[in-house]
Each structure stands twice: as C-alpha cells, then as structure tokens.
Amino acid sequence: MRTETLWLIVLGCAAATFVWRALGVAVVKRIDAHGAFFQWITCVSYAMVAGLIFRMIIMPESELASVSMTTRIAAVAIAFAAYYLSRRRLVAGVLAGGFSLSAMAAWFG
Amino acid sequence: MHGSNAEVMRKAMLDALSLPAFILLFTMMGFGSLARGAGFSAEMAALASLLIWGLPGQLAMVELTSTGQSLIAIVFACSLANARFLPMVVSFVPAMSRGRSNLPGMLLDAQLLSINSWAVCLREFPQIDVEFRHRYYVTFAASILAAAVVGTLLGYHGAVLLPAVLVLGLIFVSPLFFALVLSAVPGCAERISMVLGCATISLAHYLFPSVDLLITGVVGGSLGFAAGKYWKSGNAN
C-alpha cells in the first residue's frame, strides 16, 4: 500500500476509536453515577472485558492457538493457585502461569 | 491511603512497573512486529499504539491491512473491535469521583484509558483517597502508555529475539493478568456479568465473530444486571 494510505489508516483508526471514548464522555455527563443506567453499563463493561479475556485464553487467534486447550487451562489453574498461595500477589500468579505454559509447551510440544 | 501528590504518583509508577508496564511492553512488541509485516513504518506503528491505544483494534487494523482491504473497511473493523471503550469510559469516570470536570480534561482522560488502567484502577481506587484518584490514574496510564510505545518500537525493529516457547508464555501473561485482577472484583451483579460474559462469548464468537464482544457485553451485562437486582431484592425480603 502507498505511504499516504497507510498514514490515513492509522489516523482513521485512531479517530474511529476515539469516537467511542468521546461517546462515553457524552454519556457520563448526562447520567446519575448512582442510577440504574450506570449500574447496567458497568455490568456491560465487566461482561465485555471478561468475554475478551475468556476469548484470548480459550479461543485464541494469536500464536497461543498452537498450545493445546488442556495446557492453557492447566496454566490458568496454576496461576490462580500461585496467586492465592502467595496471599494474592499478582506477580506470583502471572509468573507461575506464564512459565508453566512455556514449560508445558516445550515439554508436550 | 493518605499522603501527598508525590506519594500517590510514586505508588502509581511502582504499581505500573510491578507488572502492567512489562506486560504492555511485551504485548506491544508483538504488535510492532506484525505492523512491520503489514507494511507500516516504525513511526506509524508507534503512533498507532499512542493514539489508538487499544490492542484488539490495532490488531484488526494490521490484519486487514496485510490482506489488502479498503481504508473504510479497515477503519470500521478497528472501530468495532474497540467499541468496548464506550461502556468502559462510562463505568470508569464516575469511579474517579472528580468534583469539577471540564470537557477537554474528560476527553483526555478517556483517551488515556485502556483495559489495564481500567482494571487496575477500579481495583486500587477503594484504597486511595478520592482527591488523589485522578492523579493516580493519569500517572499509571501514562506510565504504561510509554511502555507500550517503547515496546512497539522494540518489536518493530526486532530488537529482542526470544525462544518461541518463551514468547508463548509472554503472550499468555496478558490475559492471565486480567483474569487475576478481575477475580477480586466485588459486587454480585459484576461477578455474575463476568461469568455470563464468558458463557455468551463462547456462542457469540461462532455465530457473529465480528460483533461478538458487543453481543457479549449487552447480553451478559444485562442478564448480570437483572440477576444482581433480583438477588438484592431477595436479600431485602
């Protein structure tokens, strides 16, 4: 593609993403932060974010797809075990999960 | 937490450096190398991370560009992949409890928001005095954004070559981090929404892959909201 087109793509994508953020601000200015609408949209964002994470782990489109589902789920379980055993230290959970995934991927292929 | 502005900024930077900054550094390295493969220049890739600041949209942009789609199709796909920012901004801004708020400032806050700062700040805010929350957020968000841009450039130039199995572990760290952070979310409606979100996406991803997250948010969130209300009314009686 031509350089100008690529620049337009980057700037267009930035503007198109910003539209959602600006719409969010527009909504915030009009709602009651303790009202039902706010509670509903908070639930919507939690559902979306949880869905996104679930998709990244269970239905990955990245290189993670080359790792078996069993390995991915086992690594998540190890991460949670390390997190709770370390009295909720995120670093411990993340390191344990990441390294165990790498180790299992190296071991089982 | 009590203290001065400097203390809050120090805590925000330490919290960013404790993990999220490194996660962004590594995930954006992946984006940088993909952007190079799709024909973008290093400046374009860095600017994309800085201005789009939402990985799913950035990945959509790179993917569709490398398959030679039209400008409109690419921008539309990126926008759709980043639509979560609307509910995220709405649920996040009131949590900062800023008394006075001007429009340009709010737009800038919204531009800085990412899934990392959203999840981490909502977790940390109850421990931070109201008047310091905004400063904590901006410092944290700016720190990880800087790491993201650096990571993009490192990945673009292929500065760090790691063994393939280690790369797998690094990619995995990002969703793992969010899963752990969100496991501590309080509130019954929020927790049910997350469980239902996972259930909904399993179906929506196969039926409507391009709008799966939107469906997940609306369906899972609405059911979670309703379940939360029902639960509350049940406890009250």
Side-chain angles (χ1 to χ4, degrees):
Chain A
M1 274 192 211
R2 303 204 349 253
T3 312
E4 301 86 73
T5 316
L6 290 171
W7 274 115
L8 278 178
I9 289 173
V10 170
L11 297 176
C13 286
T17 300
F18 181 72
V19 166
W20 296 112
R21 302 176 188 269
L23 281 173
V25 170
V27 172
V28 162
K29 284 190 103 68
R30 276 165 190 76
I31 61 162
D32 166 18
H34 305 285
F37 180 78
F38 173 73
Q39 290 167 9
W40 172 76
I41 208 153
T42 299
C43 288
V44 169
S45 47
Y46 274 108
M48 260 182 159
V49 170
L52 178 65
I53 296 157
F54 187 81
R55 194 179 74 181
M56 286 160 93
I57 295 175
I58 306 296
M59 303 170 277
E61 278 150 20
S62 59
E63 291 95 319
L64 276 182
S66 68
V67 182
S68 79
M69 175 90 87
T70 321
T71 301
R72 279 179 265 136
I73 292 175
V76 172
I78 291 169
F80 270 93
Y83 175 66
Y84 283 107
L85 287 175
S86 65
R87 273 178 275 163
R88 301 193 174 208
R89 284 182 53 87
L90 288 167
V91 182
V94 164
L95 286 180
F99 277 118
S100 62
L101 184 99
S102 285
M104 286 187 282
W107 210 278
F108 308 120
Chain B
M1 195 181 98
H2 301 278
S4 61
N5 283 333
E7 263 175 63
V8 170
M9 288 170 74
R10 201 171 136 257
K11 174 177 162 54
M13 270 187 227
L14 286 177
D15 285 353
L17 285 175
S18 77
L19 204 62
F22 294 99
I23 292 176
L24 256 311
L25 192 79
F26 285 116
T27 48
M28 289 298 183
M29 276 170 60
F31 167 74
S33 85
L34 288 172
R36 182 185 194 151
F40 291 97
S41 70
E43 297 80 24
M44 292 172 191
L47 207 67
S49 292
L50 184 68
L51 295 181
I52 301 175
W53 192 216
L55 192 64
Q58 287 170 244
L59 291 177
M61 176 186 88
V62 161
E63 237 166 72
L64 295 188
T65 302
S66 58
T67 56
Q69 306 281 318
S70 71
L71 171 67
I72 300 292
I74 296 168
V75 169
F76 188 73
C78 170
S79 181
L80 215 53
N82 276 342
R84 67 180 183 292
F85 282 120
L86 168 51
M88 279 170 63
V89 166
V90 178
S91 58
F92 184 76
V93 172
M96 273 192 294
S97 316
R98 282 190 101 190
R100 51 169 189 79
S101 47
N102 57 330
L103 187 63
M106 285 176 90
L107 289 174
L108 197 63
D109 289 343
Q111 173 61 30
L112 271 179
L113 190 64
S114 71
I115 196 169
N116 263 282
S117 13
W118 183 85
V120 171
C121 288
L122 288 182
R123 175 189 164 109
E124 293 297 321
F125 276 172
Q127 284 95 51
I128 299 172
D129 284 348
V130 168
E131 68 260 40
F132 292 123
R133 285 183 189 170
H134 182 255
R135 187 169 290 263
Y136 177 87
Y137 162 63
V138 172
T139 310
F140 181 88
S143 308
I144 59 174
L145 180 56
V149 173
V150 171
T152 306
L153 290 170
L154 286 178
Y156 190 92
H157 294 296
V160 188
L161 283 176
L162 297 167
V165 284
L166 208 59
V167 172
L168 287 173
L170 288 173
I171 301 174
F172 196 60
V173 154
S174 182
L176 209 48
F177 174 71
F178 295 127
L180 291 174
V181 168
L182 291 176
S183 69
V185 164
C188 154
E190 287 86 344
R191 299 182 77 98
I192 300 172
S193 298
M194 290 198 290
V195 173
L196 293 173
C198 295
T200 313
I201 196 132
S202 321
L203 253 177
H205 185 63
Y206 289 104
L207 298 177
F208 314 99
S210 59
V211 286
D212 55 353
L213 277 180
L214 290 179
I215 295 176
T216 298
V218 174
V219 174
S222 301
L223 290 174
F225 172 72
K229 280 256 174 264
Y230 180 76
W231 196 283
K232 238 185 201 167
S233 67
N235 282 352
N237 290 338

